[in-house]
Each structure stands twice: as structure tokens, then as C-alpha cells.
Amino acid sequence: FELKGAGGHARFRELAEAGGNTVRLWGVGDGTERTLDAAHAAGLKVVVGLWLGHERHGFDYGDAGAVREQFEKTKADVLRFKDHPAVLMWGVGNEMEGFGNGDNPDVWRAVNDVAEMIHEVDGKHPTMTVTAEIGGERIASINRWCPAINLHGINSYGGVHSIPQRYREAGGVKPYLVTEFGPPGVWEQADNDWGVPVEKTSTQKAEVYRSAYAALAADPLCLGSFAFLWGHKQEATATWFGMFLPDGTKLGAVDAMTRAWSGSPPANRAPVVEPMEVVGAAVVRPGAEVEVTLAASDPDGDPLRTEWVLLAEDEDRITGGDYRPTPPAFPKAIVASATDRARLTMPERGGNYRLYAYVRDGQGNGATANVPLRVDGDASAETRGAATALPLVVYGDDAQGSPYVPSGYMGSAQAISIDENDRTRPRSGATAMKVTFGAPGGWGGVTWQSPANDWGDQPGGFDLRGADALEFWARGARGGEKVKFGYGILGRDKTYHDTAKAEAEHTLTTEWTKYTFDLDGQDLSTIKTGFYWVLAGQGRPVTFFLDDIRYVVDAPSAPAPVITPPVVEAEAAEPE
């Protein structure tokens, strides 16, 4: 089986049309059966990931009880899906060894125990475990402790071209798959003069995908590879790893993989862009004007349109792939724009920002480029929240995401499970958030924080002055669930606290219901905890759903005027 794969949870029809034949999942959840069915309908095979706990997330491989519980869960998942026709193999864990030396034998024994179990209950599908690159003792540990693992999966970015040589030099003997590859990671990319990473354009990234695939395909020990990511995500920036835009627009990486997998380019190709250039200084005073230019063309001669977006810089860049919210956007900063240029007025607050250009050809294809900018001024007393645009989404399908992170677990945290992409019956859009508190007694809750995992010891939060209300929608799975909701949980006993707070308990019904906190007269200058829920155990597991959590204003802002220079049609070009 010549594996031609991508990592992702959707857009399977596009993957098959591009010549791909396999999709990789990282874990099993409520939607796995639907995902397998959809992949099978598209003619794709699936590497089903069995997520194993990460020590950096608090999982203790020295805790025999926790390891046994994890083993039983993975066994139940294997038994449930082993006969599905889409299953190709099992991925036992993903980077569970962490980012250190990768030599904890307890981790690898647990991996091998799962693999042995799979071979006992499922004789049809091989086993693989996936590591973060191949440094340290990863290969030696798998060779020693994991005889039941058939293949070594490797996530590699900046060093992917040299994997064939380095894998053998490190003692690798098992067949391997490169389970994630793409542009160099933010941890591998050079920073600019003020310490933020410079991102490649989508055109430059496409070349990385092409050359990496070619290097791996030439190695007989490599049984295939998975381009990352067949979708989009916020990680370091809004565009670093995604091969699509949130609206489904295909970027140059899709073109590169289409040619690699099928031998031919797509009928209509993505636009080509050069790195964005700043006219003048990229570091300016608060409220200063900045102008940028962008050279873009289309190989098919399609007319182009550019969307310009200014976001605050995500300063928490090295996250190991963990969920990251999209930073605040500043739509009012764009004062004039055209396909090849934009003029903007920078925010008054000092700090780092990034200007994105999203170029589209009207045929479902696009290109991206961005440039870091800096306001060299008062970051405004550390105890004051950062400026942000309104309305602000805490949770929802809005493409701009949320600056708050649901990271503050309270009470019986082990009894809490959250699925941020539940598709059962969303209030709007494609997904809602499913929350389950599994303990019959005790209490638990989750707070949306800024920064993540902070309880008032670090500066952060956002200046939400101008918001009229905090609105959210909720429903219960059974009806009758009693849940407290609120914002502003950090009191003035904390060094960095919320300047306003409110809480209310609601009894949920099975129908979506809108709830509102009136913010009139509240001091919203620093809101570090943008939303939270708390409930007490109610004798049995409690499940409820949340959607469209937003800080809203009465009147929408007006769009920026458009610069209209002479239109220059791009000349058609032959593919490389």
C-alpha cells in the first residue's frame, strides 16, 4: 500500500481528488465513527490514533492505576473500531514521550502493552507509535522496549529532508512513516530584530512540501508520509501550518501535494505571492500610520482580491501543538486597502502585532503572507488589559477565534471532559462545546483565562470597555441541569485581578437558550477571566452544551475604504 497521506479531520473529498489515499487522526472521540464513515465514503484509509497521556499535561506513567485505566480505554476503542473498513493501522500515542530525551522506560512499556493488546484482539492492522522527531533516546527506547510496535512514526518539520539519513545513523531499523511534515516550525525559524518569528509565504511553504515529499519518497524504508495540516489551526500564527483557510480556500501546499501524489498539477492553481514589504519603518509609535505592499500574481490569469487582517501577536509560541486561541483582531486599523497594498493606523497600545494578507482568486484557491509590526510605546501599566476589537468571541465558529483559553480547571478536574467540536446539535455553525462532569458528587468548573493557566499572578487580560453585554447560549443533555455561569473570577486579593465580575445560576432545558450579563456601568478595563462555569455533582454525570459566547456591542463598525489603483492582470505562467 503506497501511503499518500495528510493529517486532518475533514475535507476528505478534496484529499481524494488531490491523489491522497490516507488520513491520520490523533485520537478517538465522539465523532470518530462519523469520521471513519466519511473517509471510507471518499475512498480513503485511516490511521486511527490512540491518544496516550503526556507527562507535560500531568499524566504520570509511574501511576499504575492511571496507566491501567488508559490501557482499558484504548482497548475499548480498538474493539469498537477494529472492523471498520476504513482502518489501516493504529497510532499508539503521539509525542507522549515529551520534548526531552525521550528515555522514560515506563512510557515505552505502556506503549508496548497497548501494541501487544492490539495484536491479540485485532490481527488485521499493524501498530505504530509516533515521536517528536528522533533525537535523544527515542529510537533506542523503541528498539529496546517496544517489540510489538511495527512502525515508527516521526513528526518532523525543519529536519524532515534529512530523516532518511539521520534515522539510520541513530539506529533505526523498523519501517517508518513521517506522520507530520510541513514548513519549519516556529521553534526552527529565525526571529526578526525584536524577537518574533518570520513566517514563510504560502508560496514558499509549497516548495517545502514538494521537496520534503520527494526526499522521503526516495527512501525504501519510509512507507509514506502525512502532510500537516489538511485544514487550518492557530499555532504561533493564524497561518503557520494550515494548508487551507478557514473558509476552505486551498493554498499552494495543496497544489504541491496534488502534483506529488497524482503526478499532475490541479486544473486551476493557487496564486503566487512574494514576501510582504513595509514601506518605511515596521516599528512605530502608537497610532502611527504604516503602509505595506504585496506582489501577487495568478498562474491562470484569474483576477485577485486581498483581505487584510491585523492581529495581536501570539506571544505563547512554543506550545507543542496544544490548542491556542486566535489573538484579538483590529479591523478598524485597516484604513485603506487594495489587492497589492494596505494602509493602516496602528493601535495605541504598545506591543507586537502581525498583518496578514489573504489573497483569493475566486476559484477556491488562495495565498497568504504576513509581516510582523511593532508599536514601540506604553504597553500601558501591566495591570491594565490589552486593547482588543469588539465584538469579541470567547467561543464560537467565528473565524477570528478567542483570546481567552479554557485552561482554568477547578474542583474535581479529573471528572471534567470537554469536546470543543461536538457536532450533535450546535446552536449555530458546525460545532458546539460539549461539557461533561462525570462525578456524582463534589464540584467542578472551568475558567477561560488570559494568559492560559494563570490565576492572577501574571499580567494579561483584555480591555473590554465598550462592550454592552456578555451573551452565551446553553442547553442541557437531559434538562434540569443546574450550572453557574459568570465572568471575572479573580478578586482584588490577586496582583492581577478582574475589574468587574458577575455570576448567575441557571437551570438548563434541552433547548438552546440565550443568557445575558448586562455590562452597563461595569469597569471592563481588565477582564482576565472572560467566562466560566461551575456546578456541583448532581447524583449522576452532568452533560451540557455551550455555543456563541460573545462580548457584544449595539452597533457594528463600518468597513475600511478601498484603494483602487489601476488593475494589472497577471500573465499566465506554466507550472514549474
Side-chain angles (χ1 to χ4, degrees), residues 442-454:
W443 69 280
V446 173
T447 297
W448 276 248
Q449 300 171 307
S450 171
N453 303 306
D454 174 62

Side-chain angles (χ1 to χ4, degrees), residues 180-203:
E180 293 177 18
F181 77 93
V186 61
W187 59 92
E188 300 167 311
Q189 192 73 19
D191 288 347
N192 69 1
D193 292 342
W194 60 89
V196 299
V198 178
E199 181 177 346
K200 295 181 182 295
T201 69
S202 60
T203 302

Side-chain angles (χ1 to χ4, degrees), residues 237-302:
T237 73
T239 54
W240 199 283
F241 289 114
M243 300 169 73
F244 292 79
L245 297 181
D247 64 359
T249 298
K250 300 174 184 178
L251 300 175
V254 176
D255 287 8
M257 295 315 303
T258 299
R259 172 173 283 184
W261 291 328
S262 70
S264 301
N268 191 279
R269 293 156 291 170
V272 174
V273 293
E274 299 292 333
M276 197 185 304
E277 295 187 1
V278 180
V279 180
V283 180
V284 298
R285 299 297 299 170
E289 191 170 276
V290 172
E291 184 175 353
V292 299
T293 61
L294 178 71
S297 61
D298 190 83
D300 304 294
D302 297 320

Side-chain angles (χ1 to χ4, degrees), residues 323-570:
Y323 165 79
R324 291 296 303 149
T326 300
F330 299 86
K332 294 182 179 179
I334 312 299
V335 296
S337 64
T339 299
D340 63 346
R341 69 193 65 206
R343 189 168 68 249
L344 60 157
T345 300
M346 295 300 292
E348 293 292 334
R349 183 181 175 87
N352 297 325
Y353 300 84
R354 192 175 291 259
L355 179 66
Y356 295 81
Y358 298 94
V359 182
R360 293 178 173 87
D361 67 357
Q363 304 296 322
N365 306 302
T368 63
N370 65 60
V371 65
L373 301 170
R374 178 171 175 79
V375 174
D376 191 9
D378 182 14
S380 219
E382 288 189 329
T383 55
R384 179 179 164 192
T388 189
L390 294 169
L392 182 143
V393 178
V394 177
Y395 172 81
D397 287 306
D398 187 288
Q400 295 302 333
S402 166
Y404 292 104
V405 184
S407 54
Y409 281 65
M410 303 176 288
S412 300
Q414 70 278 5
I416 300 169
S417 63
I418 293 179
D419 181 357
E420 296 192 44
N421 298 291
D422 183 79
R423 296 177 179 270
T424 306
R425 184 161 61 91
R427 184 258 160 185
S428 68
T431 62
M433 176 178 289
K434 179 182 179 181
V435 179
T436 299
F437 183 71
W443 69 280
V446 173
T447 297
W448 276 248
Q449 300 171 307
S450 171
N453 303 306
D454 174 62
W455 293 96
D457 300 317
Q458 303 176 46
F462 295 91
D463 183 350
L464 302 181
R465 289 178 294 181
D468 297 307
L470 168 58
E471 299 178 346
F472 64 98
W473 293 74
R475 68 174 178 90
R478 298 172 178 264
E481 298 87 350
K482 294 183 181 294
V483 187
K484 291 181 180 180
F485 301 98
Y487 69 92
I489 205 169
L490 299 177
R492 293 185 179 274
D493 58 319
K494 300 294 185 180
T495 302
Y496 302 101
H497 56 267
D498 292 293
T499 54
K501 65 178 182 178
E503 181 181 275
E505 183 176 79
H506 297 289
T507 300
L508 306 182
T509 71
T510 57
E511 299 302 317
W512 283 109
T513 303
K514 180 180 177 181
Y515 300 97
T516 303
F517 286 103
D518 185 358
L519 302 179
D520 185 42
Q522 298 294 314
D523 178 6
L524 304 176
S525 57
T526 303
I527 302 299
K528 285 179 55 64
T529 53
F531 185 76
Y532 67 84
W533 63 264
V534 177
L535 62 81
Q538 297 166 26
R540 62 185 180 186
V542 176
T543 297
F544 67 96
F545 301 83
L546 292 166
D547 209 347
D548 296 325
I549 309 171
R550 304 168 185 267
Y551 285 86
V552 299
V553 293
D554 287 335
S557 58
V562 176
I563 302 174
T564 54
V567 175
V568 178
E569 296 292 344

Side-chain angles (χ1 to χ4, degrees), residues 41 63 66 80 91 99 106 110-111 169 185 189 200 462 553:
D63 183 338
R80 180 183 178 190
F99 305 127
D106 289 340
V111 168
E169 290 175 349
Q189 192 73 19
K200 295 181 182 295
F462 295 91
V553 293

